[in-house]
Amino acid sequence: MSNTLRSIGRFCQLYQNNQVLTTQIRHLNLLECHSKVLLQNYGVNVQKFIIIENPLETKDLQTKFKVDEYVIKAQVLAGGRGLGYFDNGFKGGVHLTKDPSKVLPIVEKMVGHRLITKQTSKEGIQVKKVMIAESVNIKRETYFSIVMDRIFGGPVIIASPSGGTDIENVAKSTPHLIKTFPVDIFKGITNDIAKEVAQFLKFDNTTNEKAVTEIKRLYDLFINVDATQVEINPLAETSDGQVISVDAKINFDDNAQFRQKAIFQLDDKSESDPQEVEAAKHNLNYIRLDGNIGCMVNGAGLAMATMDIIKLHGGEPANFLDVGGGVNESQVHRAFQILTSDPNVKSILVNVFGGIVNCATIASGIINATKALSLKVPLVVRLEGTNVEAARKLLKSSGLPITYATNLEEAAQKVVKSLNTARDNAAIEKEV
C-alpha cells in the first residue's frame, strides 16, 4: 500500500554502507499550524487554535482564547515532539493544561530553544512558533487521505477505520481495514462516494452526514491547492458528536507554484540545507550526501546510475545533482558553485547525455566555471549526444586540467583514481 504513495520525484534511494538509504525530498515544508490554516480556509472542521511567536502573546489568554483544556505544541518539521526534549532541559514538545496561567511559562521554555526528537539531529531544531489549540475529547480515530496516484491515473482516497497510528503498520497487520476509492478527477467526489467512505470509516447515523461533509471539503482542498497528498490522521469522532481533522500532512505539486504563491511563501526553509535551497532557486535538484566525489548529471535516472557506478568502483558520491534537460551555462556555473562549496568534495564527475541538452553548452559552462572559480579539485567529464564533437574540441582547446572520459565506466574509474592520486600526493607532501 505504501508503495502507491511514492514516486521518483519524492524519493531517492542510494546504496550506502551496503544498506539502502532512503531520502525523502520535500520541496515544500509546512508547519502543522499552517496546514491547519489551510484546512480552516476550506471549511474543514479543526480545533480552535492560535499561533504564538512571542510568549507575551499568551497574556490574558483566558479572555481572548478561553477553552476547557489547552494543547501547547512546539512547531517544528519533525515527528516525536511529545517525547522530545529542549536544549534547556525542558521535556516534551507537546503539553496539556487546564490552567491558562501555566501556558506562558510552558511557551517561554519552548520559543527560542532547540527541540531534540528522534527525527532531528542531535542539535535539534529551534522553535520559532508554538500552536495553542483546544483539546478535544476523542471518542474514535480513523485514517483518511487523498493521493494523486499514477496507477489509477488520478486522485485516490485511502481510508481506514483504524486511525491514529502508522498506516503502514495497519496495512501490514490488518490489510482488510484499508480500502481505496478511486475518484474521477473530471467528476470529482460524488455524494455516493463520500457516503461509501464514511460508511467504511464506521461513522454511524449521528455522525455520517458530518463525515460526508468533511470528506467533500477535504477533496475541495486537495484539488484547489494543487495537492499531491492530503493525509488526515486522525480524522476523529469526538465525544460530543463532532468530526474533526486533528492532524494533517499536505504535499503539493511543485509545478503549481506559479498559481499557489501564497502557500509556497509559507515554506519553512530554516532547517533545509542552504545548498539545496540555493539549488532550487536555479531549478537544480540537489541533495547532499556523505561522500567526497561531487556529481553533476542531467536526468534523475542517469544521476542514480552515475552514483551506483561510483560506488561500484570504490568511491562515495558527495551529492545528487540533476541539472535537468534545459540547462544553460549560467546554471552550470551555479552547479559548480554549489559542488565546490561542500568542503567534503575532493573531486568532481560531470556525466551528461545530450538529448535536449547541447553538449557544447555544457562544455562552455564547465570551462567558464572552472576558470571563474579557480577550481582546485580534479575534474572528470564524460559527455555524449548532441554536438558532442564540438564540446570535446572546446574542452581540449581550453588548456585546463580536465580529464575526459569516453564512457561512464571509464569516467567512474578515472574520478576514483584521481581522488586516490590526490590523497597519495597529499601524504607525500606531508612526509616531506
Side-chain angles (χ1 to χ4, degrees), residues 45-107:
N45 196 17
V46 297
Q47 317 110 286
K48 297 176 187 175
F49 69 95
I50 57 174
I51 303 169
I52 298 295
E53 295 185 27
N54 186 330
L56 295 179
E57 295 175 41
T58 62
K59 285 188 175 181
D60 301 322
L61 194 65
Q62 194 169 8
T63 302
K64 61 185 179 183
F65 188 66
K66 185 177 181 180
V67 296
D68 292 335
E69 187 174 35
Y70 298 94
V71 184
I72 304 113
K73 303 177 79 172
Q75 297 297 287
V76 295
L77 294 169
R81 288 173 292 174
L83 298 177
Y85 61 94
F86 289 84
D87 56 3
N88 58 3
F90 186 56
K91 293 183 179 180
V94 179
H95 285 262
L96 288 168
T97 182
K98 293 183 178 181
D99 185 351
S101 66
K102 291 183 178 179
V103 175
L104 175 58
I106 293 173
V107 173

Side-chain angles (χ1 to χ4, degrees), residues 24 41 79 135 183 239 243 265 274 342 361 391 395 402 414 421:
Q24 184 172 3
N41 289 345
S135 175
V183 179
S239 57
V243 178
Q265 285 176 357
D342 183 352
T361 300
L395 293 173
I402 298 173
K414 285 184 174 181
T421 301

Side-chain angles (χ1 to χ4, degrees), residues 1 19 59 149 158 162 178 209 234 247 250 259 279 281 286 302 313 359 365 397 404 431:
M1 176 63 63
Q19 294 180 341
K59 285 188 175 181
D149 191 275
I158 302 173
S162 180
I178 294 183
E209 284 302 318
D247 204 356
I250 308 175
R259 64 173 172 238
K281 291 179 182 177
Y286 174 86
L302 189 59
H313 288 285
C359 288
S397 62
Y404 193 83
E431 290 178 3

Side-chain angles (χ1 to χ4, degrees), residues 2 21 77 110 129 195 230 243 302 315 341 356 364 395 414:
S2 61
L21 171 67
L77 294 169
M110 291 182 175
K129 292 182 176 68
K195 285 183 176 180
V230 171
V243 178
L302 189 59
S341 67
I356 301 172
S364 296
L395 293 173
K414 285 184 174 181

Side-chain angles (χ1 to χ4, degrees), residues 76-208:
V76 295
L77 294 169
R81 288 173 292 174
L83 298 177
Y85 61 94
F86 289 84
D87 56 3
N88 58 3
F90 186 56
K91 293 183 179 180
V94 179
H95 285 262
L96 288 168
T97 182
K98 293 183 178 181
D99 185 351
S101 66
K102 291 183 178 179
V103 175
L104 175 58
I106 293 173
V107 173
E108 285 179 327
K109 293 181 178 71
M110 291 182 175
V111 174
H113 297 282
R114 302 186 74 85
L115 176 62
I116 298 98
T117 79
K118 62 181 180 180
Q119 290 187 11
T120 70
S121 66
K122 61 182 180 181
E123 291 81 16
I125 301 175
Q126 185 178 29
V127 175
K128 298 179 180 178
K129 292 182 176 68
V130 171
M131 183 178 74
I132 302 174
E134 177 187 21
S135 175
V136 293
N137 188 10
I138 297 176
K139 176 182 176 182
R140 196 172 61 86
E141 296 180 321
T142 72
Y143 174 91
F144 176 88
S145 72
I146 312 171
V147 299
M148 194 64 77
D149 191 275
R150 290 187 178 184
I151 295 176
F152 291 101
V156 173
I157 293 172
I158 302 173
S160 173
S162 180
T165 186
D166 191 337
I167 194 63
E168 279 81 4
N169 290 337
V170 176
K172 184 177 180 180
S173 58
T174 53
H176 63 284
L177 292 180
I178 294 183
K179 190 172 181 179
T180 58
F181 302 82
V183 179
D184 186 325
I185 197 167
F186 296 106
K187 296 180 180 178
I189 189 163
T190 63
N191 206 52
D192 289 342
I193 293 176
K195 285 183 176 180
E196 188 180 354
V197 174
Q199 185 176 4
F200 179 73
L201 292 176
K202 298 182 179 179
F203 287 102
D204 59 23
N205 292 335
T206 60
T207 55
N208 186 272

